[in-house]
Amino acid sequence: PGRTWRDLCFVTTGTVTTPVLFTVTVTLLSTTAGLAITVLLALPVAWLLFAATDVMAGFERGRVAALADVDLDDPTRRPDAP
């Protein structure tokens, strides 16, 4: 029964968070593409796009780990120096 509730919470929170995260990503992507003709203006927006998607991916990894019992490693984490 506990697993069912966690799965239900995972799906329910996904219906709320996914449209918001998609909207932020598409808005930043289209703004970057629109400003591509002026590279100096597109660079900060592109940086913001990459930073925002990294934060949103971390949020989604945390949501999956908390509600679906699946640990996903951060793919951008650098290995420790020897």
Side-chain angles (χ1 to χ4, degrees):
R3 175 77 179 171
T4 303
W5 284 108
R6 288 171 65 156
D7 288 343
L8 180 65
C9 288
F10 178 73
V11 171
T12 305
T13 57
T15 59
V16 175
T17 60
T18 303
V20 173
L21 301 179
F22 177 78
T23 302
V24 169
T25 303
V26 169
T27 301
L28 287 173
L29 184 62
S30 62
T31 304
T32 302
L35 291 173
I37 196 164
T38 59
V39 176
L40 292 178
L41 294 176
L43 288 177
V45 179
W47 179 86
L48 183 63
L49 170 67
F50 295 136
T53 53
D54 186 48
V55 169
M56 291 185 291
F59 171 75
E60 282 294 314
R61 279 192 301 275
R63 190 172 73 87
V64 168
L67 296 175
D69 282 336
V70 177
D71 280 333
L72 300 172
D73 290 334
D74 185 4
T76 60
R77 186 183 66 205
R78 295 191 175 123
D80 296 329

